[in-house]
Amino acid sequence: MNAALAMIAGARPKDEIQGALTVQMACTHTAAMAILGKLDGGFGPERRIATYASAASCLLRVYVMQVEVLRRLRNGGQQFVYVHHVHVNDGGQAVIGNVKKPDTQD
């Protein structure tokens, strides 16, 4: 319980939606770790081990999706790509990317 509460506090939800999502994330993570803990001994029928491994895999995929949803809620789901048309004459060179001047010290 303390680990789940620490995870929720560490996520620092900014509103009720993010709070609910972080609670779901903590529960999903706790469930996945509990199932993985059952695999530690490696005892039991192979079918049971395969079932536990499959359940843990599903829960961990859900957790990754929840992390992505939280990221999109915080940062927005939009990406911007700027396209500029540049002419490079014969013998010229072009640089692609963010070009910044180095900091000069006086």
Side-chain angles (χ1 to χ4, degrees):
M1 185 64 127
N2 287 337
L5 291 173
M7 182 182 278
I8 294 165
R12 294 188 180 111
K14 294 175 179 46
D15 58 24
E16 292 81 8
I17 299 296
Q18 289 185 20
L21 182 58
T22 55
V23 168
Q24 288 179 7
M25 290 169 62
C27 292
T28 302
H29 184 266
T30 301
M33 294 301 112
I35 291 173
L36 288 174
K38 292 182 180 191
L39 290 174
D40 187 33
F43 300 109
E46 287 184 24
R47 187 177 202 159
R48 181 182 296 170
I49 292 172
T51 302
Y52 285 159
S54 176
S57 176
C58 289
L59 285 168
L60 291 171
R61 269 185 271 140
V62 167
Y63 180 77
V64 169
M65 287 190 288
Q66 290 169 332
V67 169
E68 179 63 20
V69 168
L70 183 61
R71 185 195 65 78
R72 286 183 182 176
L73 279 173
R74 290 187 174 168
N75 301 328
Q78 297 179 349
Q79 295 180 354
F80 296 97
V81 176
Y82 296 99
V83 178
H84 298 277
H85 187 79
V86 178
H87 293 280
V88 180
N89 297 324
D90 290 338
Q93 295 180 344
V95 177
I96 298 173
N98 293 329
V99 179
K100 296 180 181 178
K101 285 186 174 182
D103 292 334
T104 56
Q105 296 187 9
D106 295 323

